[in-house]
């Protein structure tokens, strides 16, 4: 623990919240199954374009919701305390890399 | 089945283009591996939120490009000929369901 | 110029549908007022970041719906007939430039 | 006014950063001009759908970049200090309302 505190951006201090991790994991496993379903769909030569597009859109929605869950936890557990820890510049820079338009 | 081939808007006539299907399939298989990687990442209790967010964003980008590939093929092979087939209202309605904002 | 009016694929043939144009125009005028409101909001030095972000998000929603309206009309009036006119390659290429992910 | 400065979460304490406000204001004024240009474009009955769609897409890009600028400032000046002020729950909830998928 004392060693960990000497490591910049140490893993323990900023690890994902356990409840959020379990929720995100369940969502990602479901998404994995959904993607597997689209792979099987595309293995058939009579698949219709719009059916594939609909399924991809559904997966994108699932990923966006998973992302929201993790982001909310990150804000709550790590970002609002960044100034106290003193890593606020790094926290903001890396978060904007993920959130920015392009 | 032989009748179906003569029916405007029939399943065979509107199946995805083979080259596009192979391209989309290769992309989706890669995405499936990427999602599997995120699942394994989230199975570790020291995963960092922003690392998970970055991976999810990468998958979203991969899905968007796959979607573009299929959409381009659908426009080229099915949408531009819809008026000739006579199924234009249905083609536009189902495509807008996929493309519209919400 | 007069000849051009008789040529399939000419400017008139592919002009926006009048009803859709009127609808899009009304939406854009409303959006113009909304943007003007955000400009005035940002002219005050006590504006709160999240209030500005909310207003920008609302304008983005309005633009997306206007875009959907025009897109639906474009598909219905111009894209589904492209193969008959013979400009299908150009129609698909320019539409994908607008629709593609990046 | 001096009292207001002592109130946690008060308007002054959380007002937008002046430099960011000026940047966002300049961007919004440019966007206002762009929207005005689309209004004039749609007032002509020979406007082509795809030209309007392109212009709307450009405005959406401009808004997204303005939003990023404001968001970055909000994170840097208000969110990373939320736990110290004690308004972290409110800060996270209102920010997620703006950032979430739907």
């Amino acid at each position: 623990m004392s060693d960990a505190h000497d490591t910049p951006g140490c893993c323990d201090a900023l690890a994902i919240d356990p409840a959020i991790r379990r929720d995100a994991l369940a969502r990602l496993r479901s998404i994995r199954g959904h993607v597997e379903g689209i792979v099987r769909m595309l293995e058939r030569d009579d698949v219709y374009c719009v059916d594939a597009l609909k399924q991809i859109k559904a997966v994108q929605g699932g990923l966006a919701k998973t992302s929201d869950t993790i982001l909310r936890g990150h804000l709550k557990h790590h970002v609002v305390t960044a100034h106290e820890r003193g890593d606020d510049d790094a926290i903001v820079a890396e978060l904007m890399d993920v959130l920015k338009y392009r």
Side-chain angles (χ1 to χ4, degrees), chain A:
Chain A
M1 191 69 168
S2 56
D3 284 346
H5 282 92
D6 300 323
T7 311
C10 127
C11 45
D12 278 5
L14 294 185
I16 196 169
D17 176 79
I20 290 166
R21 188 174 66 83
R22 281 190 297 273
D23 178 79
L25 189 51
R27 287 175 185 273
L28 253 300
R29 282 176 176 147
S30 162
I31 287 164
R32 178 179 56 185
H34 205 149
V35 171
E36 175 61 32
I38 309 178
V39 166
R40 281 196 300 269
M41 174 188 260
L42 284 167
E43 283 168 349
R44 295 179 49 186
D45 59 14
D46 64 345
V47 59
Y48 178 47
C49 307
V50 176
D51 291 336
L53 291 173
K54 277 183 195 165
Q55 295 307 315
I56 291 174
K57 188 178 186 179
V59 169
Q60 285 172 315
L63 286 169
K65 283 177 185 171
T66 310
S67 205
D68 284 352
T69 300
I70 298 172
L71 174 60
R72 187 185 297 272
H74 183 54
L75 289 170
K76 181 178 176 182
H77 296 291
H78 306 144
V79 182
V80 297
T81 48
H83 188 256
E84 290 163 81
R85 280 195 313 278
D87 61 3
D88 36 350
D89 284 351
I91 282 276
V92 171
E94 70 179 13
L95 185 53
M96 282 309 299
D97 268 355
V98 174
L99 294 180
K100 73 180 176 197
Y101 172 58
R102 62 176 58 168

